[in-house]
Amino acid sequence: MTARTLYEVQQHILQLKKETGVCILAHSYQSPEILEIADITGDSYRLSAMAGKTDAARLLLCGVRFMAETAKLLNPQKQIYEANPNAGCPMAEQFSPEEILEKKHALGDCAVVAYVNTSAALKAVSDVCVTSSSAVEIVRNMPQQEILFIPDCNLGAYVQQQCPEKKLHFLKGGCPYHGAVTVAEGQAAKAAHPEALMLVHPECNPAISAMADYVGATSGIMQFAKQSDAKEFIIGTEISIVMHLALECPKKRFYPITSRLICPDMRVTTLMDIERVLEQIAAGSAEELLLPDALMAPARHCLDEMLRLGG
Ligand code: SF4
């Protein structure tokens, strides 16, 4: 049997997409060959917002589990499939709902704000969801003064800095990859590229955000780099964004803040996974992502509150 090229697999996927009517949504951290065959690309917020806007009744998510869960919560009538069910986000499942409720009660039943990078089970015990780009506005608009912000204490610290009128409480959670970037790595990147602007995701340590010229979500970082007149940028988010920006802006230079900022879960999905799930959908044997009925209403409420308060 002769080996197939990635191009041939892509062509087969495009044909299967047509036959099944499936819309493919891929997170910006996915590989270029996946982004090429996707119908919708973007960060987690854009994917969930766009999932509701497409007419397709069947959606295939290439990213990590909480993104597929969020798509299901926002589109309960649609059939949602994960390209690779082994792709999870360690931060999204860092705490159990029981731990959150225990902390909430210990804090006098304060409001719970959940970053969108959380499991449906954690959203179900939270009052409102936020994205990294909407967190400051939503926390500001909340009537409560005392807030338990889960799970990312780095993003939480950034929000606290922007909203000094609120009192935020945290558990020791966060992204194991963004949170592991060190000040020494930030300084070394600046010393190596003194003309470059530093663009950083707020999941990084606050000391890294303090060194940055811009702090924002992945979509914000990409937009800033594309619109800026500057020619060089140090990128403080997942390393795949360095390559995507370099492809999109050939006249600009992009450098990773550290070559260690790699999310292994975002790497597990392959073109062949997508092809396999599409074949299963065509054959009627694919496993749809379903959430327990008891979670659907409270977790959906948390997302609806995000939209109401400014998400
Ligand atoms: S980069 Fe961090 S927050 Fe994003 S999916 Fe990977 S582990 Fe989760």
Side-chain angles (χ1 to χ4, degrees):
M1 200 171 104
T2 50
R4 295 182 300 161
T5 63
L6 287 180
Y7 177 76
E8 286 169 326
V9 180
Q10 283 181 317
Q11 293 309 304
H12 189 213
I13 287 173
L14 294 177
Q15 183 200 326
L16 285 166
K17 258 202 326 180
K18 237 186 240 164
E19 285 168 23
T20 55
V22 168
C23 174
I24 299 183
L25 296 92
H27 191 273
S28 316
Y29 294 171
Q30 298 289 293
S31 62
E33 65 268 17
I34 290 178
L35 296 182
E36 277 170 9
I37 51 87
D39 299 288
I40 297 168
T41 62
D43 61 9
S44 49
Y45 180 66
R46 182 173 144 77
L47 293 189
S48 35
M50 295 303 291
K53 291 195 179 140
T54 164
D55 290 337
R58 299 196 273 200
L59 309 180
L60 176 59
L61 267 288
C62 308
V64 293
R65 189 170 312 113
F66 79 81
M67 295 171 190
E69 289 186 349
T70 305
K72 184 65 187 175
L73 289 168
L74 291 171
N75 304 280
Q77 76 290 358
K78 295 193 179 189
Q79 292 172 349
I80 308 291
Y81 300 94
E82 295 168 275
N84 187 328
N86 294 323
C89 165
M91 172 162 71
E93 290 153 26
Q94 216 156 20
F95 301 108
S96 67
E98 292 73 26
E99 282 173 291
I100 300 306
L101 289 174
E102 198 180 309
K103 181 77 176 172
K104 172 186 159 104
H105 295 323
L107 290 168
D109 286 329
C110 63
V112 180
V113 173
Y115 189 19
V116 72
N117 297 29
T118 42
S119 63
L122 286 183
K123 287 185 178 78
V125 296
S126 301
D127 295 286
V128 59
C129 213
V130 296
T131 63
S132 44
S133 46
S134 67
V136 171
E137 186 188 351
I138 290 178
V139 166
R140 245 185 223 139
N141 288 343
M142 290 177 71
Q144 296 92 339
Q145 288 302 307
E146 300 256 338
I147 289 163
L148 173 59
F149 189 99
I150 64 165
D152 186 359
C153 56
N154 286 343
L155 175 62
Y158 175 72
V159 175
Q160 176 69 86
Q161 195 189 39
Q162 306 295 315
C163 305
E165 71 279 15
K166 303 281 180 177
K167 173 75 187 139
L168 270 63
H169 302 272
F170 310 109
L171 291 158
K172 255 192 157 323
C175 169
Y177 313 110
H178 285 86
V181 178
T182 64
V183 170
E185 286 170 324
Q187 286 167 340
K190 276 188 171 245
H193 310 291
E195 302 298 320
L197 295 182
M198 185 183 270
L199 319 181
V200 162
H201 198 286
E203 287 172 17
C204 291
N205 192 292
I208 306 294
S209 297
M211 298 167 73
D213 298 287
Y214 172 83
V215 180
T218 302
S219 54
I221 288 176
M222 294 184 80
Q223 198 180 6
F224 185 101
K226 285 182 210 169
Q227 290 174 351
S228 169
D229 291 335
K231 296 282 175 259
E232 294 183 63
F233 304 88
I234 297 163
I235 302 299
T237 191
E238 219 273 348
I239 202 164
S240 55
I241 297 303
V242 174
M243 181 173 52
H244 297 322
L245 281 170
L247 285 170
E248 287 190 46
C249 312
K251 294 202 169 130
K252 297 182 177 180
R253 303 291 299 272
F254 299 94
Y255 314 105
I257 193 167
T258 160
S259 54
R260 295 189 307 122
L261 217 174
I262 296 171
C263 174
D265 281 273
M266 283 287 185
R267 301 302 160 102
V268 299
T269 301
T270 64
L271 270 186
M272 282 60 74
D273 290 330
I274 298 167
E275 182 185 42
R276 185 171 50 250
V277 176
L278 286 173
E279 283 171 343
Q280 289 168 348
I281 292 172
S285 60
E287 207 170 310
E288 200 185 325
L289 177 105
L290 296 171
L291 292 170
D293 286 345
L295 285 188
M296 286 296 286
R300 169 66 195 246
H301 176 73
C302 180
L303 287 164
D304 287 343
E305 281 297 278
M306 169 174 85
L307 300 174
R308 188 179 71 79
L309 287 165

